[in-house]
Amino acid sequence: MEVRLSRFGPCGVLVRFADELDADSLSLCRGLVRWVDDHPPEGLVDCVPACTALLLEFAEPVSERRLRVLRQALRIVRPLPAEEATLHTLPVVYDGEDLEELAARKNLPVAEVVSRHAAPTYSVFVIGFAPGFPYLGPLDEKLHLPRRSTPRLRVPAGSVAIGGEHTGIYSIASPGGWWLIGRTPVGVFSPELARGDGDVAAFRLQPGDRVRLEPVSP
Amino acid sequence: MKPVLKVLHPGAGCSLQDPGRPGWKRYGVPAGGAMDRESAGWANRLVGNPEEAPVLELALTGARLQVLREAELALTGADVDGSHPRWRSFFVRAGEEIQFRGMRGGVWSYLAVAGGFVGPRWFGSVSVNARAGFGSACGPGTELVAGEASRLSAVASRYVREAERPRFSPEMEVPVWPGPEWEVLDPASAAQFLSGPWNISPHGDRTGYRLDGPLLDISPRSMLSAPLAVGTIQLPPGGRPLVILRDGPTVGGYPRLAIVDPSALSRFTQCAPGSTVRFRLLT
């Protein structure tokens, strides 16, 4: 679909690039983010990519002229194919507290939950909820399960979990309502690299990156 | 550097804040920073600091601070009774106690020290966001360190004239812009959203304020995770709007009805629980 720009308050520009989340939308999102990084518009303070739209936040109100120029520039941005995104392989110990309950609720043997969960090459659709927390997808439909009715007060960092149609990795210890099915010893967020001015290396994953999960024994 | 203040009691909560850490939202890091930018800026100007110097942000009332060494301070923001004057700079001596007592209006107070508070930074900002892992709120015994004051003036204190101070009344008309899902709201609900009136729920914090009032209906009730900005008004499934604030999420899956005009954001954060707001749609 064509990229559509609209205002998001006086200082924001919302760039809609898809109606649905799929490989094409991800490539286009990656292309737009790359364009913004290579040609940072004057006064840009933040860039927030999500599933089907990207928000550009400016320090000052955006003029009509500025909006027109952006519209022209972004219309011709080319997708950046996901196949070229960095591929990460993360070891996962599938021994989460909720693994058995999730398997029972989905009427699947535990081993099948694990094999289905570890089968795809996921894409990082969005990073949100907490610093560095990746929403990975698409998740096997047989594993979709609405969040737990009572969230846990503390989910440890590194927990691999399922929430609704997404799977993700808790980047920091936090409250959370997703089903815990495993854990990875590889940190997706390194708080010590956030110190001082902060380093982008604090985040293992970039939006659009690809991720494989490799079952390992504890 | 010798500490300048010791927190005896944090009251309803206090933490160091500056203008925050924009530029990291794509990694799920909210910009954060002082809830009421304008009052924080005033506090800094009163003691001769750059506007973006770190200040102590105090929620509501109840805090008690002990002075550990001579310093020039200024206190702005919420309308709270206390031991020291507000909206003017003043000098303190070691041993003095700064107390926050009765609450008259507003939510957030700002205490600046000449030289600015100094603290660890995360992604370029001292702003504490405990949930994200960036520091922790002050507790009893926390000592606060200040930088070198560029000028310890002996001249009369500086002040903000009454007419220039923001007023935090229990009612506010908030200018808003239509959000991306405004059009999805049916006309009756859109009218209800604008007429309100909405009460600020007590279940609010630095991440956002909930609004109590008419229940709004919208379908679909959830969508793919979409970008949020500070001031975005979301409608979660319960039907009660939620205004995203400084430490709020960077993306969310609920309809975005409206966006608070940035010029009104600082003032909006000072709407105490129970105050009444109405929205005025800008186009």
Side-chain angles (χ1 to χ4, degrees):
Chain A
M1 82 169 239
E2 198 164 273
V3 170
R4 286 172 307 182
L5 274 67
S6 55
R7 288 184 175 277
F8 194 98
C11 304
V13 175
L14 190 67
V15 182
R16 288 180 235 226
F17 52 81
D19 292 318
E20 284 178 20
L21 186 60
D22 53 28
D24 288 345
S25 69
L26 259 177
S27 317
L28 191 47
C29 184
R30 279 167 41 77
L32 290 164
V33 170
R34 170 70 64 85
W35 186 89
V36 171
D37 288 345
D38 289 348
H39 311 82
E42 200 187 318
L44 185 76
V45 289
D46 232 321
C47 162
V48 197
C51 296
T52 57
L54 158 80
L55 176 63
L56 301 175
E57 294 184 84
F58 291 86
E60 302 288 333
V62 177
S63 68
E64 276 303 318
R65 188 179 165 277
R66 155 65 64 88
L67 193 60
R68 238 182 0 253
V69 170
L70 267 175
R71 193 169 274 143
Q72 276 168 1
L74 292 178
R75 257 194 198 138
I76 53 166
V77 168
R78 280 205 301 241
L80 197 60
E83 295 75 53
E84 291 164 27
T86 310
L87 175 66
H88 307 260
T89 301
L90 307 180
V92 175
V93 182
Y94 282 95
D95 63 355
E97 276 177 63
D98 300 328
L99 182 59
E100 285 186 18
E101 188 175 345
L102 181 131
R105 283 174 184 250
K106 300 309 293 187
N107 213 4
L108 293 171
V110 165
E112 191 178 335
V113 170
V114 173
S115 62
R116 282 181 181 273
H117 190 261
T121 299
Y122 292 110
S123 287
V124 178
F125 284 150
V126 178
I127 294 182
F129 172 68
F133 182 108
Y135 287 73
L136 304 174
L139 175 67
D140 189 319
E141 274 184 35
K142 287 216 160 140
L143 301 180
H144 292 188
L145 185 62
R147 297 175 192 193
R148 293 162 49 88
S149 48
T150 320
R152 283 194 173 79
L153 292 176
R154 189 176 183 281
V155 174
S159 298
V160 176
I162 286 176
E165 351 178 340
H166 293 286
T167 185
I169 303 169
Y170 280 83
S171 53
I172 53 175
S174 77
W178 289 24
W179 301 87
L180 310 184
I181 60 169
R183 61 196 154 92
T184 175
V186 174
V188 290
F189 174 57
S190 310
E192 64 281 4
L193 293 177
R195 285 293 189 123
D197 288 338
D199 186 337
V200 70
F203 307 101
R204 182 174 298 270
L205 309 173
Q206 296 275 333
D209 278 1
R210 293 177 305 149
V211 176
R212 288 197 59 88
L213 302 174
E214 187 180 50
V216 295
S217 23
Chain B
M1 277 180 284
K2 195 166 177 276
V4 60
L5 293 172
K6 182 159 96 176
V7 176
L8 298 175
H9 192 285
C14 55
S15 64
L16 289 184
Q17 297 292 334
D18 61 18
R21 49 183 71 82
W24 298 92
K25 281 178 74 175
R26 72 171 72 174
Y27 298 108
V29 179
M35 292 290 277
D36 176 356
R37 294 287 151 88
E38 289 166 23
S39 296
W42 275 118
N44 274 323
R45 282 196 292 275
L46 284 169
V47 293
N49 288 344
E51 221 169 292
E52 63 279 6
V55 293
L56 185 66
E57 178 181 270
L58 302 107
L60 300 170
T61 188
R64 288 190 296 120
L65 313 166
Q66 187 172 42
V67 177
L68 301 178
R69 66 165 169 82
E70 191 190 17
E72 186 185 10
L73 306 178
L75 195 52
T76 63
D79 197 4
V80 191
D81 275 331
S83 55
H84 287 73
R86 308 180 74 83
W87 299 100
R88 62 169 62 236
S89 64
F90 56 90
F91 286 90
V92 289
R93 290 176 190 286
E96 260 181 70
E97 202 175 302
I98 301 169
Q99 297 175 348
F100 291 74
R101 302 193 192 108
M103 197 73 219
R104 280 190 300 250
V107 178
W108 308 98
S109 293
Y110 293 90
L111 180 68
V113 58
F117 289 105
V118 175
R121 296 179 306 133
W122 294 267
F123 295 122
S125 164
V126 304
S127 293
V128 167
N129 177 345
R131 183 187 165 273
F134 308 144
S136 49
C138 300
T142 302
E143 292 190 335
L144 299 165
V145 174
E148 190 82 13
S150 52
R151 168 203 68 81
L152 201 64
S153 83
V155 298
S157 66
R158 282 174 285 185
Y159 67 100
V160 183
R161 275 178 308 179
E162 192 86 40
E164 286 182 76
R165 299 176 197 170
R167 252 170 260 294
F168 307 131
S169 68
E171 287 179 15
M172 181 183 180
E173 187 189 74
V174 183
V176 297
W177 297 88
E181 282 72 53
W182 173 254
E183 297 296 331
V184 185
L185 203 58
D186 67 76
S189 290
Q192 269 189 321
F193 175 77
L194 293 175
S195 62
W198 298 97
N199 285 307
I200 304 285
S201 143
H203 306 288
D205 57 25
R206 289 187 40 92
T207 66
Y209 291 174
R210 280 180 191 284
L211 304 175
D212 290 331
L215 289 184
L216 300 180
D217 202 15
I218 196 169
S219 61
R221 284 164 177 273
S222 73
M223 44 187 226
L224 290 167
S225 272
L228 301 175
V230 173
T232 304
I233 306 177
Q234 276 191 307
L235 188 63
R240 290 197 170 84
L242 168 67
V243 186
I244 301 296
L245 294 173
R246 309 286 182 197
D247 288 350
T250 55
V251 295
Y254 304 129
R256 298 155 296 175
L257 301 184
I259 298 146
V260 175
D261 189 71
S263 68
L265 261 175
S266 282
R267 171 69 184 79
F268 177 77
T269 68
Q270 293 285 11
C271 290
S275 38
T276 305
V277 298
R278 279 191 170 78
F279 296 113
R280 177 166 54 89
L281 196 66
L282 303 167
T283 44

